[in-house]
């Protein structure tokens, strides 16, 4: 077969030598769990019934959570792409490129917390991507309407005229200058071209001057004038009032003959700030993304879109080509709604203390989901199909000839009502053909409307139906009917920009389906999960792509407080979905969502509930040590075998997952530790905040997570920021340490016989302390003394628990003094 006609990608199933033992261990673990709970329920601890009952309830919940998390990993796969075949098929020599166009979205809010230099590097990596220039457009959403972002983007567009040709001439990686020049590479060895050395040095000087200009803008922006900012022509900056300003659009590159220093065209670069007015719900990031969808549909209308955060630059210049190997595959590409890339991060400390890399999720869970129906969210670094975002259903498989229903047995269609069904099907086909002709007619009317031609009401009736769904913009409605993208040729750029301003107005989404059925779905701060869920409910599938060179890299919160706040935001979004009508437990049945995929979505929204049994379970060791009781009765040989088998099966599951997921034991252990830390703090707060928001209408405002600037490696790692999120894990840590001290002291006082029963309680408490060790390190920080607030909390908790222990007095029998026969006859 001609190589240009071969598939552009293929699945690489995990080898049977790795996956078969893994599945066998899962089945065995289920059997062991059944035996374990049979023993636990039938052998209560009578003298500590409350402790025993609490522990059993917690263990049942943990087992159910494990099942929800484990079974979506049943069919893990990997994928391989063929970029050379993509070029042979769509980039024939001597002909224009036939690769699909891509609109790339970059979102930012606060330039003081998201430094403009980081955003500029992301934009530069996009403009220099290895893709046909005329097929790329970059849209930057400034939801804070900051003049600093606007001016920084203007400087970035000027520097791009030098940076883009340099990147493409020498094929450098990565194409974000900050990270490219930060690489420790000796360019003088291996006989490197002297011309490259000269140009690289010159480009580095140019970039340093560019950084000075950007940093100068930041320094100036810190002192806001009393009358607000003014532009170069003396007019006031429209965004001086962040909460009340008109929509703004500025096209920096890709128009008016702006070329690079070599005379070549540059990709389009567009600044967008949607309108903000008091009294309107702007839906935060999801609303900003929907505005970008509409603006891009008016100006370029690419059939595919890429979503990145302002701090996630393109690390692999061929990332778009990797995605197109799936999207443009002639056999399987039509049913794919998005291609998700794993998130990788720079600037994380070597030990990854707070599990920022999250490799267990990205390298194990996501591979398992890819074998079912695909990744469950459309996060940063995701290339998705515009038509799928508009709420259209995935193309269905063709039915066999002669079939008129979806029933499984072929003879089902030959029943006595088959003739009636045939008649109905014929009438339905006629209706569909009429509807199709109406849509084409409506499209013609819409395109004529661009030029200002009035149409009769009867001709505009089909358009009214579209307006109820997409809003009152004839140009945008016309774009939604173009599956292959593109803009009307007869429309002028001035009229398109006027229409683009209209679609980002505050009231445009009123009485439409935006945020309900189309676009990014509202109702949760984790709009990426909700949007992916809606797409899968329409029958689409997604793909997980892991190229050898990471496609995107970003920055992660490095200190403990920022990391917990990030986890809090994700968990709150899950609680919001759990309490909404879009909850996967009851929404979307009878559609294209597969059962294991539904399990995964359910697991992604119920995990904050685990915080309550987790905190209760982590408190039990301290209570057991302080009271001298335990959650398990005296263990028999049968019970010891069950307990050992359970521990071995847990270890075997983790080892086999690490093997086929290519995850190191260090990353796996850090993930386990932060599961306890986040569960005992951020997940608990998210659960209560979600209940307050839904039941009492109390809204929680999240601040943007600060992005690290270039001010020293790991400079914030030991920075201590007090937050109420630290209280629950701090309390757990203190009471377990006190419990260990009390338990050991009691064993020393009471002799050798008490050490045996103490072993199980100590193991239980040390399990909690070891899991909270990274929290302890972040808590102490790199300081000469403890923070005052921690000293106060420690003394207060220690005093309360000590008084409670003395009041309970667990080491003296509650029945009074026990008299024993001494054996002496005193009379």
């Amino acid at each position: 077969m001609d190589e240009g006609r071969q598939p552009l990608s293929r699945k690489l199933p995990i080898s049977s030598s790795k996956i078969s033992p893994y599945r066998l261990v899962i089945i065995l673990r289920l059997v062991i769990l059944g035996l374990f709970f049979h023993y636990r329920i039938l052998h209560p601890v009578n003298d500590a019934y409350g402790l025993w009952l609490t522990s059993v309830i917690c263990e049942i919940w943990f087992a159910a959570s494990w099942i929800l998390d484990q079974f979506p990993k049943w069919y893990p796969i990997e994928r391989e792409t063929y970029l050379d075949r993509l070029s042979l098929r769509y980039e024939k020599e001597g002909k224009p490129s036939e690769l699909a166009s891509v609109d790339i979205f970059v979102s930012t809010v606060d330039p003081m917390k998201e430094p403009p230099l980081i955003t500029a590097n992301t934009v530069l990596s996009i403009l220099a991507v290895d893709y046909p220039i005329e097929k790329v457009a970059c849209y930057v959403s400034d939801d804070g309407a900051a003049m600093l972002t606007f001016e920084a983007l203007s400087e970035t567009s000027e520097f791009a005229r030098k940076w883009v040709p340099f990147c493409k001439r020498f094929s450098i990686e990565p194409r974000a200058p900050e990270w490219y020049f930060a690489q420790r590479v000796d360019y003088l060895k291996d006989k490197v071209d002297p011309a490259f050395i000269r140009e690289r040095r010159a480009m580095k000087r140019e970039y340093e001057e560019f950084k000075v200009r950007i940093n100068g803008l930041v320094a100036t922006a810190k002192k806001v004038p009393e009358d607000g900012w003014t532009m170069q022509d003396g007019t006031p900056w429209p965004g001086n009032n962040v909460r009340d300003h008109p929509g703004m659009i500025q096209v920096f590159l890709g128009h008016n003959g702006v070329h690079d220093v070599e005379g070549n065209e540059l990709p389009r670069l567009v600044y967008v700030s949607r309108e903000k007015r008091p009294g309107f719900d702007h839906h935060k990031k999801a609303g900003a993304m929907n505005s970008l969808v509409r603006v891009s549909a008016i100006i370029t209308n690419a059939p595919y879109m890429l979503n990145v955060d302002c701090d996630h630059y393109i690390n692999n210049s061929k990332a778009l080509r990797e995605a197109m190997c799936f999207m443009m595959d002639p056999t399987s590409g039509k049913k794919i709604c998005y291609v998700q890339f794993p998130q990788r991060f720079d600037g994380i400390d070597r030990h990854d203390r707070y599990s920022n890399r999250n490799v267990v999720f990205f390298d194990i869970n996501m591979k398992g989901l890819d074998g079912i129906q695909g990744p469950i969210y459309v996060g940063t670094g995701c290339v998705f199909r515009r038509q799928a975002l508009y709420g259209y259903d995935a193309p269905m498989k063709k039915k066999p000839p002669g079939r008129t229903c979806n029933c499984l047995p072929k003879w089902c269609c030959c029943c006595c009502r088959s003739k009636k069904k045939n008649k109905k099907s014929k009438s339905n086909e006629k209706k569909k053909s009429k509807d199709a002709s109406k849509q084409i007619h409506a499209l013609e009317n819409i395109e004529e409307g661009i030029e200002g031609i009035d149409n009769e009401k009867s001709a505009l009736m089909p358009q009214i139906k579209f307006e109820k769904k997409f809003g009152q913009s004839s140009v945008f409605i016309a774009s939604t009917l173009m599956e292959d993208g593109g803009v009307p040729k007869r429309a002028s750029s001035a009229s398109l920009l006027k229409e683009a301003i209209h679609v980002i107005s505050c009231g445009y989404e009123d009485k439409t389906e935006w945020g309900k059925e189309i676009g990014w779905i509202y109702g949760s701060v984790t709009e990426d999960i909700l949007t992916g869920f809606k797409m899968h409910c329409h029958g689409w599938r997604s793909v997980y792509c892991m190229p050898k060179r990471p496609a995107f890299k970003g920055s992660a919160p490095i200190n403990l407080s920022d990391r917990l706040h990030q986890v809090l935001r994700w968990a709150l979004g899950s609680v919001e979905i759990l309490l909404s009508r879009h909850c996967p437990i009851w929404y979307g049945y009878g559609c294209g969502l597969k059962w294991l995929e539904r399990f995964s979505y359910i697991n992604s929204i119920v995990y904050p509930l685990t915080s309550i049994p987790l905190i209760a379970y982590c408190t039990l060791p301290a209570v057991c040590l302080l009271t001298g009781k335990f959650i398990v009765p005296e263990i028999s040989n049968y019970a010891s075998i069950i307990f050992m088998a359970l521990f071995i099966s847990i270890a075997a599951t983790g080892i086999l997952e690490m093997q086929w997921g290519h995850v190191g034991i260090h990353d796996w252990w850090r993930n386990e530790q932060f599961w306890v830390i986040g569960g005992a703090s951020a997940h608990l707060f998210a659960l209560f905040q979600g209940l307050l928001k839904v039941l009492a209408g109390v809204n929680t405002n999240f601040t943007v997570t600060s992005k690290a600037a270039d001010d020293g490696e790991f400079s914030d790692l030991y920075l201590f920021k007090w937050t109420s999120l630290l209280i629950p894990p701090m309390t757990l840590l203190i009471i377990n340490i006190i419990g260990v001290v009390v338990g050991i002291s009691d064993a020393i006082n009471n002799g050798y016989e008490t050490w045996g029963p103490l072993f199980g309680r100590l193991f239980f408490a040390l399990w909690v302390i070891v899991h909270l060790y990274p929290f302890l390190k972040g808590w102490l920080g790199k300081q000469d003394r403890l923070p005052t607030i921690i000293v106060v909390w420690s003394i207060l908790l220690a005093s309360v628990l000590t008084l409670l222990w003395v009041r309970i007095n667990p080491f003296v029998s509650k029945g009074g003094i026990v008299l024993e026969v001494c054996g002496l006859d005193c009379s």
Side-chain angles (χ1 to χ4, degrees):
M1 183 186 292
D2 182 14
E3 191 173 2
R5 296 176 179 268
Q6 293 181 1
L8 303 179
S9 65
R10 67 166 180 154
K11 295 181 182 178
L12 299 175
I14 307 296
S15 64
S16 58
S17 61
K18 295 180 180 179
I19 198 64
S20 295
Y22 176 68
R23 292 171 180 166
L24 180 62
V25 168
I26 291 176
I27 295 172
L28 289 175
R29 186 169 169 181
L30 281 174
V31 175
I32 295 169
L33 276 174
L35 297 173
F36 171 77
F37 284 116
H38 179 266
Y39 172 80
R40 291 285 282 132
I41 294 171
L42 295 182
H43 293 79
V45 183
N46 295 321
D47 60 340
Y49 192 82
L51 296 178
W52 167 82
L53 183 61
T54 303
S55 65
V56 170
I57 293 173
C58 294
E59 289 162 1
I60 291 174
W61 179 267
F62 295 150
S65 300
W66 173 78
I67 291 173
L68 285 176
D69 182 64
Q70 202 68 41
F71 274 92
K73 305 174 189 175
W74 192 260
Y75 300 104
I77 62 169
E78 294 177 347
R79 295 182 183 270
E80 186 176 64
T81 56
Y82 303 102
L83 300 181
D84 51 346
R85 296 179 185 176
L86 181 74
S87 297
L88 286 173
R89 184 183 290 270
Y90 295 109
E91 293 182 301
K92 297 177 181 177
E93 190 175 354
K95 295 183 179 180
S97 173
E98 297 179 2
L99 290 173
S101 300
V102 183
D103 290 337
I104 304 176
F105 301 155
V106 181
S107 57
T108 182
V109 179
D110 187 349
M112 293 303 173
K113 293 185 178 181
E114 300 168 325
L117 187 62
I118 291 180
T119 305
N121 271 271
T122 300
V123 171
L124 290 169
S125 70
I126 292 170
L127 298 177
V129 70
D130 183 5
Y131 207 73
I133 289 174
E134 68 279 5
K135 305 285 186 178
V136 177
C138 177
Y139 294 83
V140 179
S141 170
D142 177 19
D143 219 30
M147 189 174 176
L148 172 57
T149 304
F150 182 87
E151 294 289 349
L153 208 59
S154 178
E155 290 286 350
T156 303
S157 64
E158 286 298 317
F159 180 70
R161 298 178 62 243
K162 305 171 185 176
W163 175 252
V164 172
F166 170 75
C167 293
K168 296 193 173 183
R169 192 183 318 122
F170 298 106
S171 301
I172 67 167
E173 295 283 3
R175 298 189 178 182
E178 184 67 32
W179 300 104
Y180 170 69
F181 291 121
Q183 293 180 119
R184 298 176 181 177
V185 179
D186 185 4
Y187 289 97
L188 299 178
K189 68 177 183 179
D190 299 330
K191 299 180 180 179
V192 179
D193 184 5
F196 168 68
I197 299 295
R198 288 194 301 272
E199 292 204 33
R200 184 183 182 278
R201 288 174 177 169
M203 185 54 60
K204 189 172 183 180
R205 286 194 298 270
E206 292 280 355
Y207 178 64
E208 292 298 329
E209 294 174 2
F210 169 72
K211 286 175 65 175
V212 170
R213 293 195 295 272
I214 295 294
N215 292 331
L217 291 174
V218 174
T220 305
K222 291 180 179 179
K223 300 177 182 179
V224 182
E226 293 182 0
D227 299 331
W229 299 106
T230 56
M231 295 186 288
Q232 293 181 356
D233 58 359
T235 58
W237 171 247
N240 278 325
N241 188 343
V242 178
R243 294 179 178 83
D244 188 3
H245 66 84
M248 295 177 282
I249 298 177
Q250 174 67 44
V251 181
F252 285 106
L253 297 176
H255 75 114
N256 296 334
V258 179
H259 296 83
D260 62 25
V261 292
E262 296 181 356
N264 301 317
E265 291 185 5
L266 287 166
R268 194 181 296 257
L269 176 60
V270 184
Y271 169 88
V272 179
S273 182
R274 58 178 173 149
E275 184 185 18
K276 293 281 187 72
R277 299 298 180 195
F280 286 89
D281 189 355
H282 300 99
H283 301 291
K284 301 177 183 177
K285 183 180 178 181
M289 297 305 296
N290 282 337
S291 296
L292 284 184
V293 171
R294 296 192 293 270
V295 167
S296 63
I298 299 295
I299 298 177
T300 51
N301 195 32
Y304 302 103
M305 297 175 280
L306 167 63
N307 169 42
V308 294
D309 288 339
C310 65
D311 61 325
H312 272 76
Y313 64 90
I314 298 181
N315 183 62
N316 183 348
S317 62
K318 298 185 184 296
L320 295 181
R321 294 177 179 270
E322 295 276 356
M324 290 303 118
C325 285
F326 301 102
M327 290 292 197
M328 300 187 70
D329 191 286
T331 56
S332 61
K334 292 294 183 182
K335 290 201 68 175
I336 296 174
C337 58
Y338 59 86
V339 178
Q340 178 67 58
F341 293 88
Q343 294 184 27
R344 306 300 187 199
F345 302 98
D346 289 311
I348 296 176
D349 65 297
R350 182 182 57 176
H351 301 291
D352 191 16
R353 183 175 299 166
Y354 310 124
S355 189
N356 277 300
R357 293 191 180 94
N358 207 5
V359 292
V360 172
F361 176 75
F362 289 120
D363 292 11
I364 294 179
N365 295 40
M366 297 291 270
K367 284 182 182 178
L369 293 173
D370 198 15
I372 305 170
Q373 198 170 356
I376 61 173
Y377 77 109
V378 285
T380 184
C382 180
V383 179
F384 47 95
R385 188 183 301 271
R386 189 183 287 269
Q387 292 290 309
L389 200 66
Y390 288 158
Y392 292 119
D393 291 332
M396 304 301 292
K397 294 181 180 179
K398 294 182 179 180
K399 298 172 186 177
R403 298 290 301 278
T404 57
C405 70
N406 292 319
C407 304
L408 186 60
K410 295 182 180 180
W411 52 263
C412 177
C413 298
C414 301
C415 56
C416 59
R417 292 178 293 177
S418 60
K419 293 182 180 180
K420 294 181 181 180
K421 290 182 179 179
N422 287 332
K423 289 180 181 179
K424 288 182 180 179
S425 63
K426 289 180 180 179
S427 63
N428 289 334
E429 287 177 2
K430 290 180 180 179
K431 288 181 180 179
K432 287 180 180 178
S433 62
K434 288 182 180 179
D435 291 339
S437 63
K438 284 182 180 179
Q439 285 189 0
I440 295 171
H441 186 51
L443 177 57
E444 293 173 354
N445 292 329
I446 292 166
E447 290 182 348
E448 290 175 0
I450 295 170
E451 297 181 347
I453 301 175
D454 293 329
N455 300 290
E456 297 179 2
K457 290 183 179 180
S458 59
L460 287 175
M461 283 301 294
Q463 183 182 352
I464 293 173
K465 296 179 181 178
F466 284 113
E467 287 178 353
K468 289 181 179 179
K469 182 176 183 180
F470 296 110
Q472 297 182 352
S473 171
S474 57
V475 183
F476 178 74
I477 294 172
S479 71
T480 63
L481 300 174
M482 302 176 185
E483 290 188 12
D484 297 327
V487 295
K489 296 181 180 179
R490 292 176 289 179
S492 64
S493 58
S495 64
L496 291 180
L497 280 176
K498 182 179 179 181
E499 196 69 20
I501 291 290
H502 170 56
V503 299
I504 61 173
S505 59
C506 288
Y508 182 81
E509 295 182 357
D510 291 347
K511 298 180 181 179
T512 67
E513 294 185 7
W514 282 101
K516 302 171 186 174
E517 298 297 331
I518 62 174
W520 266 265
I521 307 301
Y522 303 149
S524 171
V525 292
T526 52
E527 67 285 334
D528 47 4
I529 293 178
L530 198 51
T531 304
F533 175 64
K534 292 285 285 189
M535 287 185 184
H536 283 126
C537 284
H538 282 282
W540 297 95
R541 68 153 295 122
S542 53
V543 165
Y544 193 54
C545 180
M546 298 181 66
K548 292 182 179 179
R549 180 179 179 86
F552 304 91
K553 280 191 174 183
S555 57
I558 196 169
N559 64 67
L560 177 60
S561 302
D562 287 346
R563 175 69 167 134
L564 288 177
H565 276 291
Q566 182 189 60
V567 175
L568 171 63
R569 181 181 180 274
W570 295 340
L572 178 61
S574 296
V575 175
E576 289 172 338
I577 299 173
L578 176 64
L579 302 175
S580 72
R581 73 181 187 92
H582 288 120
C583 177
I585 298 175
W586 52 73
Y587 183 87
Y589 286 93
C591 63
L593 192 66
K594 296 183 179 179
W595 275 101
L596 288 181
E597 188 82 354
R598 184 179 296 277
F599 281 174
S600 181
Y601 273 112
I602 293 173
N603 183 52
S604 69
I605 64 164
V606 301
Y607 74 89
L609 299 177
T610 308
S611 59
I612 294 177
L614 180 63
I615 290 177
Y617 208 70
C618 290
T619 308
L620 289 177
V623 177
C624 291
L625 286 167
L626 291 172
T627 60
K629 310 296 184 182
F630 199 42
I631 60 175
V632 180
E634 187 176 347
I635 299 179
S636 62
N637 291 335
Y638 171 74
S640 62
I641 293 174
I642 292 178
F643 279 97
M644 289 298 296
L646 182 62
F647 285 126
I648 292 172
S649 66
I650 292 173
T653 306
I655 291 170
L656 291 172
E657 279 185 355
M658 287 187 284
Q659 188 178 18
W660 62 255
H662 310 294
V663 173
I665 189 169
H666 178 269
D667 290 317
W668 179 85
W669 175 238
R670 286 301 190 208
N671 182 80
E672 291 294 309
Q673 288 178 316
F674 202 80
W675 176 76
V676 176
I677 296 171
S681 57
H683 297 174
L684 180 68
F685 277 73
L687 183 59
F688 286 111
Q689 287 183 11
L691 290 172
L692 286 173
K693 182 175 182 180
V694 174
L695 301 178
V698 179
N699 249 324
T700 304
N701 292 322
F702 281 96
T703 56
V704 180
T705 304
S706 300
K707 276 37 175 204
D710 186 21
D711 56 357
E713 191 176 18
F714 316 137
S715 58
D716 289 339
L717 177 61
Y718 299 103
L719 182 63
F720 182 85
K721 297 180 180 179
W722 173 253
T723 171
S724 56
L725 293 175
L726 301 176
I727 295 175
M730 183 194 307
T731 306
L732 289 177
L733 192 61
I734 291 174
I735 63 174
N736 276 280
I737 292 175
I738 292 175
V740 170
V741 173
V742 169
I744 294 176
S745 301
D746 177 65
I748 293 173
N749 291 333
N750 292 341
Y752 178 78
E753 293 181 356
T754 57
W755 284 96
L758 179 66
F759 177 77
R761 304 186 192 106
L762 282 179
F763 177 80
F764 200 10
L766 291 174
W767 177 88
V768 176
I769 294 172
V770 168
H771 277 78
L772 292 174
Y773 174 73
F775 172 81
L776 179 63
K777 290 283 289 184
W779 176 27
L780 296 177
K782 192 176 182 179
Q783 311 175 60
D784 295 332
R785 62 184 181 85
L786 288 174
T788 306
I789 187 67
I790 295 179
V791 176
V792 172
W793 261 100
S794 301
I795 295 174
L796 178 62
L797 284 172
S799 302
V800 171
L801 291 171
T802 304
L803 291 172
L804 181 64
W805 174 51
V806 171
R807 177 68 182 85
I808 296 173
N809 202 8
F811 306 115
V812 177
S813 175
K814 300 297 183 290
I817 301 174
V818 178
L819 299 177
E820 295 183 358
V821 179
C822 64
L824 297 175
D825 187 4
C826 298
S827 61

